[in-house]
């Protein structure tokens, strides 16, 4: 019985890679120093996995920006606008992901979107009808050699060819992406041969699209690809995750691969079918440790489910996490401030490897003292979890009625009331919420947390920052202002710290994209809001101006998806509890005189089940959770929501059902393509399509913004349109933000003259 790792976080337990990347981008260190930090992280992470008993160490899970982008570079699939005379190098990847690198010319960044139903973002490959694939970048092969030189047995891990095509974007002349498959398979054969030449025995090819309900041509593509690729060395471990692949059982079982990985956390029921059709020599990797959550595994229960399989398969059974541990924080050992009862229930990436070892003990030495100790640990965790129940919250949810989810009147009535109250101009301008979290602000927060500043001293300085932010917006002549969120560390963590039933960590960081990391709260119990969370800051900002200042909240669905949520009750029930907590805050904001309130739901779409047949149930409860949070206000209170980096076509009816008065969305990287969904559906409410890509340091010109909004006005009636950036501005600097917003406002004035 072997332990198998599908991938490990690369950011570092203290975010070492993040800080090195950002220093390199700012010109504070040389590329050689960045490479040295990266090498040290890889060596540490490989050694941890080896120490835990993992024999085949994943290589290829490390990326400087995104592993899909690294694969695109390896295959030579890099847009021409990002290339330079020196070919494809590390800075090329940064130009693709960021639109800018320390070398080469600036160019619009490639599109970025969520990786399936996770909070990880990947850079979308751009492929043309005449695409040429060939090995053009050496990082993967260099890292295999690096691991081997350290004495490790490397198992390269890359996205499979069919998933790569599926996740890519066709550009230029319209064509069928699958027409590129034969040439892409040839390129993969070259990659596999390079690995074979390096002495690699196993390669893991990830095909997460198998968890989707694939059309027949994509199913045929899987068969075509693996009939060819599996015929040569190295051995292939075909891995899929994030959901069941039982609906493709016949297809997958017929593939001549040497090994198969199943995600049994999301779909334990698929195990029996695949075991029954496993070839006599075929390896089965069972993903039984949750790679996407932080809760310790019920190892005793898992062991009882695997006992017969372990007996039958013996050495052909590999114990694995459900997916790459990329989605998990790195190391629980550095958490020194968690309550013991909560820490007892947790397991981060490094500890999940230890859990694999403990599971192996339960399966191979069930009567040993060590096995009995492991079972006792599981029982203690279950006792601690049971003590977190809050009956008052449970009773409040049970008492909800249909009316609690509805606004007083339809949008058309509310719109008339709101327009009479606010008298905003055509194409109102606003921002999404946050303004730059400068080093000075982060320094203030650090000094306060260390006790170097009193709470009053800290708040006084933040009030000065907030006043400055409001004054800057007034000078820019923005119509609907925000307070800037200087007091907030993160849009989810900030609320998690103030909700009961929610805990938080010091170093529980996970990568979202590039160098961007988030620290999700831990939803361990029933959720409620004991006191107001944002009222003081909203009232203070509104006191500084007669223009409306939005109250800024994170919605219940996003708080759920961007937290590590408990697993003993349904996600629907957790979302409802959070919806009630946010509803209390919305009502208090309205009563405090805040007339425009934004309830952000950027994670709304990412919660979709991978199979469309399961979508409707999710959409029903996700919409209801949002409506519950917003429905306690009068017609005059204007409710906004924000979504970013999502495809809207297939969920537009649900988005309309949320009934937000205004929705702001990301559209600049897609050049307003995402608005097609709102045009085709005839979306009834108001829309703010983003015109400023805040994930790139590049400044949009007035002409670019005018052009984008002209496209928007050709799709959506101009009376329904707002103008805003794609997302919050916390990750940018004022030197980047102010010129961009100056251009945004100037473009708006031009458009008002043209379109009024």
């Amino acid at each position: 019985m072997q332990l198998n790792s599908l991938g490990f976080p690369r950011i570092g337990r203290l975010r070492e890679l993040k800080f090195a990347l950002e220093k390199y981008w700012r010109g504070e260190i040389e590329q050689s120093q960045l490479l040295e930090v990266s090498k040290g992280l890889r060596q540490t992470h490989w050694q941890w996995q080896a120490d835990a008993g993992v024999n085949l160490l994943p290589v290829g899970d490390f990326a400087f920006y995104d592993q899909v982008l690294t694969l695109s570079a390896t295959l030579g699939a890099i847009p021409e606008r990002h290339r330079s005379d020196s070919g494809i190098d590390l800075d090329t990847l940064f130009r693709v992901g960021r639109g800018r690198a320390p070398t080469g010319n600036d160019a619009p960044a490639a599109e970025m979107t969520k990786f399936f139903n996770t909070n990880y973002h990947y850079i979308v490959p751009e492929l043309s009808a005449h695409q040429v694939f060939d090995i053009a970048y050496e990082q993967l092969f260099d890292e295999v050699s690096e691991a081997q030189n350290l004495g490790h047995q490397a198992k390269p891990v890359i996205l499979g060819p069919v998933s790569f095509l599926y996740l890519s974007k066709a550009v230029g002349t319209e064509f069928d992406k699958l027409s590129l498959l034969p040439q892409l398979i040839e390129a993969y054969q070259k990659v596999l041969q390079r690995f074979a030449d390096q002495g690699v025995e196993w390669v893991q090819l990830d095909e997460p699209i198998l968890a989707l309900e694939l059309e027949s041509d994509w199913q045929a593509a899987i068969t075509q690809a693996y009939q060819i690729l599996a015929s040569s060395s190295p051995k292939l471990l075909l891995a899929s995750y994030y959901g069941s692949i039982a609906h493709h059982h016949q297809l997958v079982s017929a593939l001549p691969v040497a090994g198969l990985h199943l995600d049994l956390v999301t779909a334990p029921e698929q195990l029996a079918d695949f075991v029954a059709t496993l070839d006599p020599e075929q390896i089965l990797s069972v993903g039984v440790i949750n790679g996407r959550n932080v809760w310790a595994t019920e190892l005793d229960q898992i062991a009882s489910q695997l006992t017969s399989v372990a007996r039958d398969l013996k050495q052909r059974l590999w114990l694995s996490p459900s997916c790459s541990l990329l989605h998990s924080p790195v190391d629980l050992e550095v958490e020194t401030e968690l309550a013991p009862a909560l820490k007892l229930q947790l397991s981060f990436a490094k500890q999940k490897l230890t859990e694999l070892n403990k599971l192996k003990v339960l399966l191979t030495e069930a009567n040993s003292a060590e096995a009995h100790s492991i079972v006792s640990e599981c029982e203690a965790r279950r006792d601690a979890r049971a003590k977190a129940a809050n009956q008052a919250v449970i009773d409040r949810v049970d008492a909800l009625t249909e009316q609690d989810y509805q606004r007083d009147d339809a949008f058309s009535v509310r719109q008339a009331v709101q327009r009479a109250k606010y008298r905003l101009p055509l194409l109102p301008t606003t921002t999404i919420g946050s303004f730059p979290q400068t080093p000075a602000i982060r320094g203030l927060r650090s000094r306060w947390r260390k006790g170097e500043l009193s709470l009053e001293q800290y708040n006084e300085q933040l009030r000065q920052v907030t006043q400055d932010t409001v004054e800057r917006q007034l000078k820019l002549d923005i119509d609907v202002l925000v307070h800037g969120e200087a007091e907030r560390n993160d849009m989810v963590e900030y609320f998690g710290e103030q909700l009961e039933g929610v805990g938080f960590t010091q170093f529980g960081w996970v990568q979202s994209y590039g160098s961007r990391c988030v620290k999700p709260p831990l939803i361990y119990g029933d959720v409620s809001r004991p006191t107001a969370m944002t009222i003081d800051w909203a009232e203070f900002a509104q006191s500084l101006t007669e223009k409306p200042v939005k109250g800024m909240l994170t919605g219940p669905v996003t708080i759920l998806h961007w937290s590590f949520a408990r697993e003993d009750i349904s996600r629907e029930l957790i979302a409802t509890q959070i919806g009630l907590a946010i509803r209390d805050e919305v009502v208090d904001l309205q009563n405090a005189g805040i007339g425009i309130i934004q309830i952000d739901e950027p994670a709304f779409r990412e919660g979709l089940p991978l199979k469309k047949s399961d979508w409707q149930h999710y959409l029903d409860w996700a919409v209801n959770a949002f409506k519950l949070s917003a429905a306690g206000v009068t017609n005059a209170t204007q409710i906004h929501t924000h979504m970013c980096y999502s495809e809207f076509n297939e969920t537009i009816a649900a988005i309309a059902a949320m009934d937000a008065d205004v929705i702001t969305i990301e559209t600049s990287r897609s050049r307003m393509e995402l608005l097609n969904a709102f045009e085709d559906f005839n979306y009834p409410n108001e829309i703010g399509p983003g015109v400023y890509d805040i994930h790139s340091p590049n400044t949009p010109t007035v002409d670019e913004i005018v052009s984008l909004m002209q496209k928007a006005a050709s799709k959506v009636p101009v009376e329904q349109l707002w103008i805003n950036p794609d997302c919050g501005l916390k990750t940018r600097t004022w030197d980047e933000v102010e010129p961009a917003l100056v251009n945004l406002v100037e473009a708006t004035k031009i458009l008002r003259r043209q379109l009024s």
Side-chain angles (χ1 to χ4, degrees):
M1 188 179 300
Q2 186 164 298
L3 307 186
N4 182 39
S5 173
L6 276 67
F8 199 82
R10 60 245 189 180
I11 207 71
R13 64 179 170 188
L14 299 178
R15 293 180 292 163
E16 295 92 334
L17 181 59
K18 167 191 173 65
F19 298 124
L21 281 169
E22 292 172 354
K23 286 180 180 179
Y24 175 64
W25 293 338
R26 293 193 298 263
E28 296 173 7
I29 62 173
E30 299 294 326
Q31 188 176 111
S32 60
Q33 295 170 278
L34 170 62
L35 296 176
E36 192 63 28
V37 170
S38 306
K39 182 178 180 180
L41 287 171
R42 287 193 297 273
Q43 292 181 3
T44 296
H45 299 159
W46 285 330
Q47 193 59 54
W48 283 350
Q49 293 172 89
D51 291 345
V54 177
N55 297 319
L56 295 171
L57 299 184
V59 176
D61 53 350
F62 183 90
F64 289 93
Y65 203 92
D66 159 48
Q67 68 264 28
V68 179
L69 174 56
T70 303
L71 179 59
S72 297
T74 303
L75 300 170
I78 294 295
E80 193 62 38
R81 67 184 181 277
H82 299 121
R83 294 174 179 262
S84 66
D85 293 339
S86 59
I88 298 175
D89 57 16
L90 182 56
D91 276 1
T92 307
L93 274 62
F94 296 144
R95 287 194 294 276
V96 177
R98 304 179 68 241
R100 179 183 297 183
T103 63
N105 297 322
D106 296 351
E111 286 187 41
M112 179 172 68
T113 195
K114 299 291 178 68
F115 192 69
F116 294 87
N117 59 352
T118 75
N119 188 32
Y120 178 77
H121 301 67
Y122 76 98
I123 300 297
V124 180
E126 297 181 16
L127 306 179
S128 68
H130 305 290
Q131 187 70 48
V132 175
F133 297 107
D134 205 355
I135 296 175
Y137 183 62
E138 294 291 316
Q139 180 181 331
L140 286 173
F141 311 109
D142 291 343
E143 290 175 3
V144 168
S145 296
E146 182 183 323
Q148 292 171 332
N149 290 337
L150 292 168
H152 300 306
Q153 191 173 359
K155 180 193 65 175
V157 175
I158 58 175
L159 191 66
V162 187
S163 290
F164 179 80
L165 269 186
Y166 193 93
L167 296 177
S168 66
K169 175 182 180 179
V171 296
T173 306
E174 187 172 329
F175 69 98
D176 181 359
K177 290 187 294 185
L178 281 172
S179 66
L180 300 176
L181 183 61
Q183 190 199 150
L184 181 59
I185 292 173
E186 290 181 10
Y188 268 76
Q189 286 179 296
K190 293 179 181 179
V191 171
L192 292 177
Q193 186 58 54
R194 284 285 300 274
F195 290 145
D197 293 343
Q198 292 180 292
V200 167
E201 181 183 6
W202 282 91
V203 173
Q204 177 183 316
L205 291 182
D206 291 352
E207 294 285 5
I209 64 165
L210 285 169
L212 307 177
E213 292 165 332
L214 296 174
E215 296 181 0
S216 59
D217 54 348
W218 288 97
Q219 293 182 46
I222 290 284
T223 298
Q224 177 185 354
Y226 286 90
Q227 290 289 348
I228 296 172
L229 295 177
S231 63
S232 58
S233 58
K235 297 176 183 178
L236 297 186
L237 175 68
L238 176 64
S240 194
Y241 35 78
Y242 304 149
S244 173
I245 62 172
H247 55 302
H248 293 313
H249 173 253
Q250 185 175 357
L251 166 72
V252 173
S253 295
L255 299 176
V257 293
L260 176 66
H261 172 81
L262 301 176
D263 179 350
L264 299 184
V265 171
T266 58
E269 69 281 356
Q270 65 183 324
L271 176 63
D273 287 344
F274 281 99
V275 168
T277 55
L278 207 63
D279 286 346
E281 301 300 321
Q282 207 169 25
I283 293 294
L284 181 63
S285 168
V286 290
V288 290
I289 304 294
N290 194 338
R292 293 181 58 177
N293 217 331
V294 295
W295 307 106
T297 307
E298 302 285 4
L299 294 171
D300 52 346
Q301 298 176 5
I302 297 298
S304 67
Q305 296 164 14
L306 291 180
T307 298
S308 62
V309 176
R311 182 183 61 245
D312 295 342
L313 296 184
K314 298 181 176 62
Q315 295 305 311
R316 293 165 54 215
L317 181 67
W318 291 4
L319 304 178
S320 310
S322 58
C323 59
S324 170
L325 297 173
L326 169 70
H327 311 294
S328 174
V330 178
D331 187 8
L332 185 62
E333 292 176 8
V334 295
E335 299 294 337
T336 59
E337 296 184 4
L338 286 171
L342 179 55
K343 190 171 183 178
L344 174 70
Q345 301 177 53
L346 299 176
S347 178
F348 292 0
K350 187 180 178 185
Q351 287 69 42
K352 290 178 186 294
L353 300 171
T354 303
E355 285 189 311
L356 290 176
N357 231 323
K358 291 181 178 180
L359 180 59
K360 183 177 179 179
V361 169
L362 292 178
L363 289 170
T364 59
E365 306 171 40
N367 294 319
S368 67
E370 184 178 0
H372 289 304
S373 175
I374 294 168
V375 172
S376 296
E377 290 175 7
C378 294
E379 293 171 345
R381 282 194 292 269
R382 286 191 282 270
D383 289 343
R385 186 167 58 244
K387 294 176 181 177
N390 184 328
Q391 192 60 45
V393 175
I394 296 170
D395 292 344
R396 189 180 181 195
V397 170
D398 289 342
L400 288 172
T401 67
E402 185 175 342
Q403 188 57 42
D404 292 314
Y405 295 87
Q406 305 298 329
R407 297 286 298 271
D408 289 342
D409 288 294
F411 169 71
S412 58
V413 175
R414 303 196 308 265
Q415 184 183 48
V417 173
Q418 292 161 15
R419 286 182 171 176
K421 178 178 179 179
Y422 298 113
R423 299 189 178 279
L424 297 172
L426 184 72
L427 300 172
T429 55
T430 190
T431 62
I432 303 305
S434 60
F435 271 90
Q437 286 269 327
T438 64
I441 293 173
R442 293 194 297 271
L444 278 176
R445 186 173 299 119
S446 176
R447 291 170 60 200
W448 169 58
R449 291 193 184 279
K450 292 177 182 177
E452 297 172 6
L453 291 176
S454 68
L455 179 60
E456 181 52 41
Q457 290 172 321
Y458 176 58
N459 285 338
E460 176 55 35
Q461 294 196 50
L462 288 180
R463 280 190 284 270
Q464 294 176 23
V465 173
T466 301
Q467 182 169 348
D468 175 69
T469 301
V470 170
E471 289 173 352
R472 288 178 189 251
Q473 293 172 86
L474 291 171
K475 185 177 179 180
L476 288 163
D477 199 22
I478 292 172
D479 299 309
V480 175
L481 312 186
V482 296
H483 79 284
E485 304 178 15
E487 78 286 359
R488 303 186 187 183
N489 44 13
D490 174 81
M491 66 179 292
V492 174
E493 184 182 6
Y494 177 77
F495 292 96
E497 290 178 333
Q498 300 183 76
L499 295 170
E500 287 190 351
V502 181
F504 52 95
T505 63
Q506 294 169 272
F507 305 104
W509 298 98
V510 292
Q511 184 182 17
S512 182
Y513 64 87
S515 68
R516 170 71 169 151
C517 300
V518 294
K519 187 151 61 72
L522 314 174
I523 301 177
Y524 65 86
D526 297 306
V527 179
S528 63
R529 185 204 71 150
T531 59
M533 300 181 287
T534 67
I535 308 301
D536 289 347
W537 291 108
E539 285 185 311
F540 173 70
Q542 187 62 79
S543 73
L544 302 173
T545 177
E546 294 183 357
K547 285 188 171 184
V549 178
K550 287 190 289 189
M552 299 301 306
L553 304 173
T554 302
V557 178
T558 296
I559 290 178
L560 169 63
H561 291 325
W562 289 0
S563 297
F564 291 119
R566 58 193 288 198
E567 298 173 327
D568 58 321
I569 64 173
S570 71
R571 295 177 73 81
E572 175 182 358
L573 182 53
I574 299 170
T576 303
Q577 292 181 355
I578 303 171
L580 282 170
I582 299 301
R583 179 191 184 98
D584 292 343
E585 189 74 9
V586 169
V587 171
D588 282 354
L589 281 167
Q590 174 186 259
N591 294 342
I594 307 302
I596 300 180
I597 302 169
Q598 183 169 308
I599 309 171
D600 286 342
E601 287 290 18
F604 181 84
R605 192 188 188 283
E606 78 183 42
L608 279 172
L610 295 183
K611 296 173 180 60
K612 290 185 179 180
S613 58
D614 297 330
W615 279 14
Q616 196 56 54
H617 175 67
Y618 164 76
L619 291 171
D620 288 345
W621 66 253
V623 167
N624 279 340
F626 177 85
K627 292 173 68 176
L628 178 64
S629 72
V633 296
T634 66
N635 288 338
T637 296
Q638 187 176 77
I639 297 294
H640 290 222
T641 191
H642 171 70
M643 296 181 180
C644 55
Y645 299 102
S646 295
E647 298 291 340
F648 297 109
N649 297 61
E650 296 172 308
T651 58
I652 188 65
I655 292 170
M658 293 168 69
D659 199 26
D661 298 305
V662 182
I663 181 173
T664 53
I665 60 174
E666 175 275 326
T667 51
S668 67
R669 285 200 179 193
S670 72
R671 312 303 291 175
M672 294 292 166
E673 288 179 13
L674 291 177
L675 271 185
N676 292 341
F678 292 82
E679 174 191 25
D680 297 340
F681 181 78
N682 192 24
Y683 185 75
N685 298 16
E686 297 181 11
I687 310 170
V691 295
Y692 165 24
D693 177 12
I694 68 89
H695 296 286
S696 170
N698 299 343
T699 300
T701 67
V702 171
D703 289 344
E704 287 171 343
I705 296 172
V706 168
S707 176
L708 286 174
M709 287 306 297
Q710 287 171 336
K711 287 184 181 180
S714 71
K715 299 173 182 292
V716 177
V718 67
E719 296 82 6
Q720 289 178 240
L721 291 173
W722 289 58
I723 299 185
N724 44 264
D726 276 343
C727 202
L729 301 167
K730 66 178 290 184
T731 61
R732 303 263 60 92
T733 67
W734 279 110
D735 288 343
E736 295 165 337
V737 164
E738 287 194 300
L741 294 181
V742 165
N743 289 353
L744 184 150
V745 172
E746 178 58 30
T748 302
K749 293 176 179 178
I750 293 171
L751 287 160
R752 285 171 180 162
R753 292 194 294 268
Q754 291 179 352
L755 301 174
S756 62

